């Protein structure tokens, strides 16, 4: 961080302190439903003063999830959230909110900033989010703050998700749970929270596994989280430790003709992902005076990620450039080339060639710290809350990829031949450094008792340094800077009704992974290798939003009701997308695609009357290209002779359903017995590689789930859940690829990931 930045922020903090000393007694804003307004935990604002349609998962919903992932619960409850089964593994979905993604998969257009107790969860190497590393049992509350949100830093193009984790002050008691179900599924979880005087402790551990309903698709996930917190009269502080370990098999999309024969069939295997994470984060809050307070947070996070992917190969005995005993790429064609191993030796044809085993190893160490000051005192006699802060995040990544020549076996698994391919096309050694500095402010001014004006802004400076350890093609040093503003109004028409409107801007700097794979002449066998380093422009988003919300409840708590209506629009400038190259399924490069536009409407209603509860959430999200653009999609049957498709302005983007509806209800039959049902309906969506709409879409579908829980004793209960009760056949993700390399008789280039069939869960849990 520069001396100039430190001087400016230090001066501003001094001014805040002087304002607290000069001001009169602070005017505290009533906080009923408090929403975190910055990445640093410990500071929030009343939901009624927020100029946006904030959507939340509270403790009651998370508690009833019984170990379900946070991403699953978000999809079940929130209308603008949809999941795509991009990798074919339920633990690692791609989450879309208002058409912006938070995904584990490189190649997805990322656009949500995700925080856990002030720790940035987006991986610095590719802005990825590994959802299976989030311990859902330890989440106390999850809020999605929509729209381009500058305060939350880079990648908050479509909004920010803030997860508040449990502490000994928010959770008390002991709970254990064990469950099993279809396809070898099993879960176990234990958690305990307690408070002794000014000290609170929380600890939890969970384990999940399954054999998988598709062929050769077992998975294991282990999570642990602990928190120690102290709360005094003038301050508080806490320390959290997290651990996650997963071994996942995601066999991805399969050709539609193969799925027609068997829904559980996989194209090629293995397709394994091994993740491990350890994190330590600290937070503190100090009340200097009745009106001035300081909040701070810091974190350390180390994530290792290994993959093993079996793919079909197009190698064979040389015909022109070398003896037939040697192995060549594109044998018999004009660009035939003899293959060599990592030591420069010729590879013999006996090593195989019909298959490849691709391996990657990614290790990222992230550090970050934030400091902010909050001043709550009148300005010109008007209530005002001012926040000023600065942050720095740094991530260092070691990336390695290699490819082994193999043979495609009868069951379409790949056996290795022992020869590791050489040259930078198949072997990558990359180091990257991501450093981001931000200075931000947020000010909420009560113009009247009912009208609140919120102004905010942030300066972002992001540096991305790439060091090629195998050659020189990947070397690069990139710098991205921007100032993003935001403004909004919230008007409390009456105690039960609030109107709001807002505007905001945010930016996302290209990640190291994107900058290393941006040359169409040298596409990547994504995500297994990076081959070039031309520049990409940063993405800038501008969003508007307006709406109404209301809530009411009986004084005796016998009923409660809340609802919201919101319209929104966000335009991305220089959006970054992944384009297929046609040189194998999953091969391509990143590019700026000009403007994209996401506009829509949300309507939500939820409540409870006595033993009956309900929720209804509808969303219309129209995500389109906002200019004409030509994209390469050679496997698309509508592509021209060069393999290009013309995408017109207004054409819907792939993978995002326009309409989605979530609804559910619960009924307490007695004090011991409760039943619930929920359903999700989605309209059709386009396949990746078909943004021009030339091919068949993924059809719309609905999924209905049912659950019941019965108390066996004062502290124990049994539950049963049925997912996909109607056993619908559906697909949430698809793309264009080449199936003929494995199945010469297949003529359809569509690949799809099948949705899981009907499955059952049954378990016991006890609370003490």
């Amino acid at each position: 961080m520069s001396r100039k930045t430190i001087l400016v922020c230090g001066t501003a903090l001094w001014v805040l302190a002087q304002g607290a000393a000069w001001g009169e007694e602070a005017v505290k804003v009533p906080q009923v439903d408090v929403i975190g307004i910055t990445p640093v935990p410990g500071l929030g604002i009343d939901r009624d003063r927020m100029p946006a349609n904030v959507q939340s998962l509270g403790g009651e919903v998370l508690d009833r999830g019984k170990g379900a992932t946070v991403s699953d619960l978000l999809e079940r409850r929130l209308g603008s959230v949809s999941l795509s089964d991009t990798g074919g593994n339920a633990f690692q979905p791609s989450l879309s909110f208002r058409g912006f993604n938070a995904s584990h998969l490189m190649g997805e257009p990322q656009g949500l900033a995700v925080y856990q107790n002030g720790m940035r969860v987006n991986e610095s190497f590719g802005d990825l989010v590994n959802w299976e590393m989030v311990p859902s049992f330890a989440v106390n509350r999850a809020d999605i703050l929509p729209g381009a949100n500058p305060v939350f830093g880079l990648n908050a193009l479509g909004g920010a998700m803030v997860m508040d984790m449990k502490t000994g002050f928010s959770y008390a008691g002991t709970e254990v749970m064990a469950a099993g179900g279809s396809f070898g599924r099993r879960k176990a979880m234990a958690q305990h929270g307690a408070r002794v005087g000014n000290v609170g402790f929380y600890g939890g551990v969970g384990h999940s596994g399954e054999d998988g309903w598709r062929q050769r698709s077992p998975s294991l996930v282990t999570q642990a989280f602990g928190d120690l917190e102290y709360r005094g009269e003038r301050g508080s502080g806490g320390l959290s430790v997290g651990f996650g370990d997963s071994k996942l098999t995601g066999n991805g999309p399969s050709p539609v003709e193969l799925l027609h024969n068997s829904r559980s069939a996989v194209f090629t295997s293995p397709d394994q992902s091994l993740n491990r994470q350890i994190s330590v984060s600290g937070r503190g809050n100090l009340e200097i005076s009745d009106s001035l307070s300081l909040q701070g947070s810091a974190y350390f996070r180390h994530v290792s990620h290994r993959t093993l992917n079996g793919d079909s190969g197009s190698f064979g005995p040389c015909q022109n450039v070398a003896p037939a005993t040697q192995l060549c790429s594109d044998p018999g064609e004009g660009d035939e080339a003899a293959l060599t191993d990592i030591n420069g030796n010729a590879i013999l044809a006996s090593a195989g060639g019909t298959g490849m085993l691709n391996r990657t190893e990614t290790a990222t160490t992230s550090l970050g710290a934030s400091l902010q000051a909050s001043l709550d005192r009148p300005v010109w006699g008007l209530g005002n809350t001012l926040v000023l802060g600065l942050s720095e995040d740094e991530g260092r990544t070691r990336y390695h990829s290699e490819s082994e020549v193999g043979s495609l076996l009868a069951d379409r698994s790949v056996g290795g031949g022992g020869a590791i391919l050489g040259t930078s096309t198949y072997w990558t050694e990359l180091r990257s450094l991501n450093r981001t500095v931000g200075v931000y402010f947020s000010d909420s001014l009560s113009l009247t008792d009912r009208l609140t004006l919120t102004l905010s802004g942030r300066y972002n400076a992001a540096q991305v340094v790439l060091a090629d350890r195998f050659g020189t093609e990947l070397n690069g040093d990139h710098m991205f800077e921007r100032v993003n503003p935001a403004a909004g109004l919230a008007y409390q028409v009456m105690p039960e009704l609030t109107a709001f409107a807002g505007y905001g801007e945010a930016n996302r700097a290209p990640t190291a992974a994107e900058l290393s794979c941006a040359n169409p002449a040298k596409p990547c066998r994504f995500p297994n290798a990076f081959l070039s380093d031309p520049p990409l422009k940063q993405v800038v988003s501008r969003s508007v939003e307006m709406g109404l919300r209301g809530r009411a409840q009986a004084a005796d708590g016998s009923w409660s009701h809340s609802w919201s209506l919101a319209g929104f629009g966000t335009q991305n400038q220089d959006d970054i997308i992944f384009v297929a190259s046609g040189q194998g399924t999953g091969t391509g490069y990143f590019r700026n695609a000009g403007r994209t536009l996401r506009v829509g409407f949300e309507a939500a209603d939820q409540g409870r009357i006595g033993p009956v509860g309900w929720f209804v959430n509808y969303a219309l999200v129209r995500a389109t290209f906002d200019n004409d653009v030509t994209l390469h999609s050679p496997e698309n049957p509508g592509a021209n002779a060069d393999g290009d498709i013309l995408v017109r302005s207004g054409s819907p983007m792939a993978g995002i359903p326009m309409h989605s509806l979530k609804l559910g209800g619960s009924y307490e039959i007695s004090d011991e017995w409760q039943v619930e049902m929920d359903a999700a309906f989605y309209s059709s969506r386009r396949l990746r590689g078909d943004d021009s709409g030339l091919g068949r879409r993924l059809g719309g579908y609905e999924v209905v789930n049912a659950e019941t829980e019965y108390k066996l004793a004062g502290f124990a209960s049994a539950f049963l859940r049925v997912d996909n009760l109607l056993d619908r056949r559906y697909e949430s993700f698809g793309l264009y690829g080449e199936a003929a390399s494995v199945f010469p008789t297949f003529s359809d280039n569509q690949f799809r990931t099948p949705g899981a069939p009907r499955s059952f869960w049954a378990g016991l849990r006890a609370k003490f």
Side-chain angles (χ1 to χ4, degrees):
M1 187 178 298
S2 69
R3 294 182 179 178
K4 181 178 180 181
T5 300
I6 295 175
L7 177 60
V8 170
C9 294
T11 303
L13 292 178
W14 178 85
V15 171
L16 286 172
Q18 294 301 312
W22 296 333
E24 299 175 356
E25 183 177 354
V27 178
K28 296 294 183 181
V29 178
Q31 295 184 353
V32 180
D33 189 3
V34 177
I35 306 297
I37 57 173
T38 70
V40 182
L43 182 66
I45 191 171
D46 185 358
R47 177 191 293 267
D48 289 336
R49 300 176 64 194
M50 293 290 292
N53 186 31
V54 180
Q55 302 181 51
S56 305
L57 289 182
E60 181 182 0
V61 174
L62 292 161
D63 180 62
R64 291 205 308 269
K66 302 177 183 66
T69 63
V70 172
S71 56
D72 279 339
L73 293 175
L74 289 168
E75 184 194 34
R76 293 178 197 172
R77 303 284 300 200
L78 305 185
S80 293
V81 173
S82 62
L83 298 183
S84 296
D85 200 1
T86 50
N89 189 290
F91 293 106
Q92 275 194 336
S94 292
L95 182 146
S96 174
F97 172 72
R98 292 187 175 181
F100 292 91
N101 292 346
S103 172
H104 71 287
L105 189 65
M106 293 183 187
E108 290 289 297
Q110 310 294 336
L112 293 176
V114 184
Y115 289 87
Q116 176 183 311
N117 264 14
M119 178 178 68
R120 190 173 178 89
V121 175
N122 302 84
E123 304 296 342
S124 62
F125 191 60
D127 274 336
L128 310 180
V129 177
N130 293 308
W131 290 105
E132 88 279 9
M133 293 289 104
V134 178
S136 58
F137 56 83
V139 179
N140 183 55
R141 179 188 177 114
D143 295 313
I144 297 183
L145 288 73
N149 198 320
V151 172
F152 287 88
L154 295 178
N155 203 42
L157 305 178
M161 179 177 174
V162 181
M163 289 177 285
D164 173 39
M165 309 302 285
K166 292 177 180 176
T167 71
F169 292 92
S170 62
Y171 183 88
T174 301
E175 179 184 2
V176 294
M177 183 196 72
S182 306
F183 315 117
R185 293 174 176 169
R186 60 270 186 196
K187 290 181 181 178
M189 183 272 291
Q191 59 179 338
H192 174 76
R195 172 185 176 182
V196 179
N198 293 339
V199 179
F201 167 79
Y202 171 83
V205 61
H207 177 79
S208 301
E210 62 175 36
D211 297 331
W213 71 274
R214 296 182 71 187
Q215 300 170 9
R216 302 185 294 277
S217 56
S219 293
L220 292 172
V221 178
T222 301
Q223 303 163 327
F225 181 82
D227 184 85
L228 183 66
E229 184 175 26
Y230 169 83
R231 294 186 180 181
E233 292 184 4
R234 306 294 294 184
S236 63
L239 182 69
S240 299
V241 178
F243 172 80
D245 185 86
S246 65
K247 183 178 181 180
L248 309 179
T249 305
N251 287 309
S254 293
V256 291
E257 291 169 282
L258 180 62
L259 294 178
H260 180 75
N261 298 325
S262 173
R263 296 284 291 177
S264 65
V266 300
F267 184 47
T268 58
S269 67
D271 196 341
Q272 296 178 347
S273 174
L274 288 81
N275 295 330
R276 177 167 291 181
Q277 170 198 285
I278 184 169
S279 64
V280 180
S281 63
R283 62 193 183 278
N285 180 41
L286 177 63
E287 295 184 7
I288 298 176
S289 68
D290 290 341
S291 58
L292 178 65
S293 62
L294 292 177
Q295 295 84 36
S297 67
Y299 68 88
F300 164 87
R301 190 163 180 255
H302 180 79
V303 179
S304 63
H305 178 61
R306 292 183 291 158
T307 66
L308 173 62
N309 303 97
D311 296 321
S312 60
S314 58
F315 306 143
C318 298
Q319 298 183 23
N320 301 317
V321 301
T325 56
Q326 292 184 215
L327 196 66
C328 274
S329 62
D330 303 311
E333 299 184 9
D335 52 355
E336 175 183 318
L339 297 174
T340 57
D341 64 18
I342 192 62
N343 297 313
N345 300 318
I347 297 178
L348 300 179
S350 59
T354 57
M356 293 177 63
L357 287 174
N358 299 310
R359 299 180 178 88
T360 71
E361 295 183 8
T362 309
T364 300
T365 299
S366 301
L367 297 167
S370 300
L371 176 66
Q372 67 183 29
S374 172
L375 178 63
D376 190 359
R377 64 175 296 272
V379 173
W380 306 307
L382 304 176
N384 188 71
T385 301
L386 172 64
V387 179
L388 180 65
L390 63 155
S391 66
E392 181 169 2
D393 299 273
E394 181 177 301
R396 295 179 181 270
T397 299
R398 302 190 310 275
Y399 177 87
H400 167 76
S401 72
E402 62 182 46
S403 297
E404 179 183 353
V405 174
S407 299
L408 194 63
L409 306 180
D411 63 354
R412 297 186 304 283
S413 63
V414 177
I420 306 298
L421 291 164
T423 75
S424 61
T425 304
Y426 304 102
W427 179 281
T428 303
E429 290 284 347
L430 177 67
R431 301 292 185 268
S432 72
L433 167 65
N434 295 72
R435 181 180 291 116
T436 304
V437 174
V439 180
Y440 61 88
F441 81 94
S442 176
D443 187 85
S444 296
L445 177 65
S446 299
L447 299 176
T448 70
D449 291 341
R450 296 184 177 185
L451 181 62
T452 301
L453 170 66
T454 299
L455 299 173
S456 61
R458 181 176 179 123
Y459 164 74
N460 289 319
Q463 183 184 25
V464 183
V465 181
L466 304 173
D468 193 339
R469 296 302 179 91
F470 188 74
T472 60
E473 290 182 314
L474 300 180
N475 290 334
D477 191 341
H478 308 266
M479 190 71 183
F480 304 91
E481 296 180 281
R482 196 169 198 278
V483 175
N484 297 310
L489 289 169
Y491 180 67
Q492 196 167 8
V493 181
M494 58 183 69
E496 299 82 13
L497 177 63
T498 302
F500 58 87
Y503 170 84
E505 298 183 8
N507 70 302
R508 181 171 87 83
T511 65
E514 292 165 337
L515 289 167
S516 301
C517 181
N519 190 340
K522 295 182 177 180
C524 308
R525 293 183 323 283
F526 203 72
N528 301 308
F530 303 122
L531 301 175
S532 56
D533 180 28
L536 289 171
K537 298 178 181 179
Q538 64 180 337
V539 185
V540 176
S541 66
R542 299 173 176 87
S543 69
V544 294
E545 179 174 1
M546 61 182 62
L548 298 168
R549 56 174 171 259
R551 57 179 175 173
Q553 64 180 18
D556 60 1
S558 59
W559 62 269
S560 63
H561 178 231
S562 63
W563 59 273
S564 63
L565 299 171
F568 61 88
T570 301
Q571 184 189 70
N572 278 10
Q573 182 70 43
D574 297 317
D575 213 351
I576 298 174
I577 64 173
F578 183 71
V579 180
S581 67
Q583 301 180 23
T585 302
T587 301
Y589 56 93
F590 291 97
R591 61 162 289 186
N592 292 112
R595 298 186 308 273
T596 59
L597 184 65
R598 294 157 177 87
V599 297
F601 172 78
E602 296 169 338
D605 187 276
Q606 61 181 348
R608 175 171 291 277
I609 301 177
V612 179
W614 75 90
F615 70 88
V616 181
N617 282 278
Y618 167 77
L620 184 153
V621 179
R622 180 172 172 79
T624 62
F625 288 85
D626 202 31
N627 51 242
D628 293 349
V629 60
T630 299
L631 301 178
H632 200 57
S633 184
E635 302 300 338
N636 190 318
N640 62 22
D642 296 323
D644 295 331
I645 58 175
L646 175 61
V647 181
R648 297 289 188 182
S649 177
S651 182
M653 300 179 69
I656 302 170
M658 182 178 295
H659 302 280
S660 58
L661 173 66
K662 320 292 176 60
L663 53 88
S666 64
Y667 179 66
E668 295 177 358
I669 299 175
S670 67
D671 292 340
E672 294 79 23
W673 191 10
Q674 177 173 294
V675 294
E676 298 181 41
M677 184 170 288
D678 62 85
F681 301 83
Y682 297 100
S683 61
S684 63
R685 62 188 88 183
R686 290 184 176 180
L687 278 70
R688 182 185 293 175
D690 191 33
D691 296 284
S692 58
L694 300 174
R696 304 188 313 277
R697 293 183 176 221
L698 297 174
Y701 63 90
E702 75 281 349
V703 176
V704 179
N705 311 304
E707 184 173 343
T708 184
E709 184 168 6
Y710 187 82
K711 293 182 180 179
L712 302 174
F715 60 87
S717 62
F719 62 88
L720 171 67
R721 179 175 175 85
V722 184
D723 291 325
N724 194 4
L725 179 67
L726 304 180
D727 201 23
R728 295 299 194 201
R729 291 191 171 192
Y730 67 94
E731 298 90 24
S732 63
F733 178 75
L735 51 72
Y736 280 100
E738 183 185 359
S741 60
V742 179
F743 297 97
T745 60
F746 283 7
S747 59
D748 197 323
N749 289 346
Q750 283 203 6
F751 283 61
R752 301 185 178 188
T753 305
R758 179 168 49 225
S759 59
F760 299 85
W761 279 102
L764 297 170
R765 68 171 178 169
K767 291 184 176 182
F768 306 93

